[in-house]
Coordinates of all heavy atoms in Angstrom, one line a residue:
Y63 N 2.1 2.6 1.4 CA 0.8 2.9 0.8 C 0.8 2.3 -0.6 O 1.8 2.0 -1.2 CB 0.6 4.4 0.8 CG 1.0 5.1 -0.5 CD1 0.1 5.3 -1.5 CD2 2.3 5.5 -0.6 CE1 0.5 5.9 -2.7 CE2 2.7 6.2 -1.8 CZ 1.9 6.4 -2.8 OH 2.3 7.0 -4.0
I64 N -0.4 2.2 -1.2 CA -0.6 1.8 -2.6 C -1.7 2.7 -3.2 O -2.6 3.2 -2.5 CB -0.9 0.3 -2.8 CG1 -2.1 -0.1 -2.0 CG2 0.3 -0.6 -2.4 CD1 -2.6 -1.6 -2.2
L65 N -1.5 2.8 -4.5 CA -2.5 3.5 -5.4 C -3.2 2.4 -6.1 O -2.6 1.5 -6.7 CB -1.8 4.4 -6.3 CG -2.6 5.2 -7.3 CD1 -3.6 6.1 -6.6 CD2 -1.7 6.0 -8.3
I66 N -4.6 2.4 -6.0 CA -5.4 1.3 -6.5 C -6.4 1.8 -7.5 O -7.1 2.8 -7.2 CB -6.1 0.5 -5.4 CG1 -5.1 0.0 -4.4 CG2 -6.9 -0.6 -6.0 CD1 -5.7 -0.6 -3.2
K67 N -6.6 1.2 -8.6 CA -7.7 1.5 -9.5 C -8.8 0.5 -9.2 O -8.6 -0.7 -9.2 CB -7.3 1.3 -11.0 CG -8.5 1.6 -11.9 CD -8.1 1.5 -13.4 CE -7.3 2.7 -13.7 NZ -7.1 3.0 -15.1
V68 N -10.0 1.1 -8.8 CA -11.1 0.3 -8.5 C -12.1 0.4 -9.7 O -12.4 1.5 -10.2 CB -11.8 0.7 -7.2 CG1 -13.0 -0.2 -6.9 CG2 -10.8 0.7 -6.1
I69 N -12.6 -0.8 -10.2 CA -13.4 -0.8 -11.4 C -14.7 -1.4 -11.1 O -14.8 -2.5 -10.5 CB -12.7 -1.6 -12.5 CG1 -11.3 -1.0 -12.7 CG2 -13.5 -1.6 -13.8 CD1 -10.2 -2.1 -12.9
G70 N -15.8 -0.7 -11.5 CA -17.1 -1.3 -11.3 C -17.5 -2.0 -12.6 O -16.7 -2.2 -13.5
K71 N -18.8 -2.4 -12.6 CA -19.2 -3.1 -13.8 C -19.4 -2.1 -15.0 O -19.5 -0.9 -14.8 CB -20.6 -3.8 -13.6 CG -20.5 -4.8 -12.5 CD -19.7 -5.9 -12.9 CE -19.5 -7.0 -11.8 NZ -18.5 -7.9 -12.0
E72 N -19.3 -2.7 -16.2 CA -19.3 -1.9 -17.4 C -20.5 -0.9 -17.5 O -20.4 0.2 -18.0 CB -19.4 -2.8 -18.7 CG -18.2 -3.7 -18.7 CD -17.0 -3.2 -19.5 OE1 -17.3 -2.3 -20.4 OE2 -15.9 -3.7 -19.3
D73 N -21.7 -1.3 -16.9 CA -22.9 -0.5 -17.0 C -22.9 0.7 -16.0 O -23.8 1.5 -16.1 CB -24.1 -1.4 -16.8 CG -24.3 -2.4 -17.9 OD1 -23.6 -2.3 -18.9 OD2 -25.2 -3.2 -17.7
C74 N -21.9 0.8 -15.2 CA -21.9 1.9 -14.2 C -21.7 3.2 -15.0 O -21.0 3.2 -16.0 CB -20.8 1.8 -13.2 SG -21.0 0.4 -12.0
T75 N -22.3 4.3 -14.5 CA -22.2 5.6 -15.1 C -20.7 6.0 -15.0 O -20.1 6.4 -16.0 CB -23.0 6.6 -14.4 OG1 -24.4 6.1 -14.3 CG2 -23.0 7.9 -15.1
D76 N -20.1 5.9 -13.9 CA -18.7 6.3 -13.7 C -18.1 5.0 -13.1 O -18.1 4.7 -11.9 CB -18.6 7.4 -12.7 CG -17.2 8.0 -12.6 OD1 -16.4 7.7 -13.4 OD2 -17.0 8.7 -11.6
N77 N -17.5 4.2 -14.0 CA -17.2 2.8 -13.6 C -15.8 2.6 -13.1 O -15.4 1.4 -12.9 CB -17.4 1.9 -14.8 CG -16.5 2.0 -15.9 OD1 -15.8 3.0 -16.0 ND2 -16.4 1.0 -16.7
K78 N -15.0 3.6 -12.8 CA -13.7 3.4 -12.2 C -13.2 4.7 -11.4 O -13.6 5.8 -11.8 CB -12.7 3.0 -13.2 CG -12.4 4.0 -14.3 CD -11.5 3.5 -15.4 CE -11.5 4.5 -16.5 NZ -11.0 3.9 -17.7
K79 N -12.4 4.4 -10.5 CA -11.7 5.5 -9.8 C -10.5 5.0 -9.1 O -10.4 3.8 -8.8 CB -12.7 6.2 -8.8 CG -13.1 5.4 -7.6 CD -14.0 6.3 -6.7 CE -14.5 5.6 -5.5 NZ -15.4 6.5 -4.7
N80 N -9.5 5.9 -8.9 CA -8.3 5.6 -8.2 C -8.4 6.0 -6.7 O -9.0 7.0 -6.4 CB -7.1 6.4 -8.8 CG -6.8 5.9 -10.1 OD1 -7.2 4.8 -10.6 ND2 -6.0 6.7 -10.9
I81 N -7.9 5.1 -5.8 CA -8.0 5.3 -4.4 C -6.6 5.1 -3.8 O -5.7 4.5 -4.4 CB -9.0 4.4 -3.7 CG1 -8.6 2.9 -3.9 CG2 -10.4 4.7 -4.2 CD1 -9.4 2.0 -3.0
V82 N -6.4 5.7 -2.6 CA -5.1 5.6 -1.9 C -5.4 4.9 -0.6 O -6.3 5.3 0.2 CB -4.4 7.0 -1.7 CG1 -3.2 6.9 -0.7 CG2 -4.1 7.6 -3.0
R83 N -4.5 3.9 -0.3 CA -4.7 3.2 1.0 C -3.3 3.0 1.6 O -2.3 2.6 0.9 CB -5.3 1.8 0.8 CG -6.7 1.8 0.2 CD -7.7 2.4 1.3 NE -9.0 2.4 0.9 CZ -9.7 3.4 0.3 NH1 -9.1 4.5 0.0 NH2 -11.0 3.3 0.0
G84 N -3.2 3.3 2.9 CA -1.9 3.1 3.6 C -2.1 2.8 5.0 O -2.9 3.5 5.7
Y85 N -1.5 1.7 5.5 CA -1.7 1.2 6.9 C -0.4 0.8 7.5 O 0.4 0.0 6.9 CB -2.6 0.0 6.9 CG -3.9 0.3 6.1 CD1 -4.2 -0.5 5.0 CD2 -4.8 1.2 6.5 CE1 -5.4 -0.3 4.3 CE2 -6.0 1.5 5.8 CZ -6.3 0.7 4.7 OH -7.4 0.9 4.0
A86 N -0.1 1.2 8.7 CA 1.1 0.9 9.4 C 1.2 -0.6 9.8 O 2.3 -1.2 10.0 CB 1.3 1.8 10.6
D87 N 0.0 -1.2 10.0 CA 0.0 -2.6 10.4 C 0.3 -3.6 9.3 O 0.3 -4.8 9.5 CB -1.3 -2.9 11.2 CG -2.5 -2.9 10.2 OD1 -2.5 -2.1 9.3 OD2 -3.5 -3.7 10.5
C88 N 0.5 -3.1 8.1 CA 0.8 -4.0 7.0 C 2.3 -3.9 6.7 O 2.8 -2.8 6.4 CB 0.0 -3.5 5.7 SG -1.8 -3.8 5.9
D89 N 2.9 -5.1 6.8 CA 4.4 -5.1 6.6 C 4.8 -5.0 5.1 O 5.9 -4.5 4.8 CB 4.9 -6.4 7.1 CG 4.9 -6.5 8.6 OD1 4.9 -5.5 9.3 OD2 4.7 -7.7 9.2

Side-chain angles (χ1 to χ4, degrees):
Y63 92 93
I64 57 175
L65 178 63
I66 304 169
K67 179 178 286 196
V68 182
I69 305 135
K71 297 297 177 193
E72 303 266 338
D73 291 352
C74 289
T75 307
D76 188 15
N77 72 340
K78 62 186 171 198
K79 69 180 175 180
N80 291 343
I81 62 172
V82 172
R83 297 293 184 263
Y85 310 115
D87 67 327
C88 292
D89 292 328

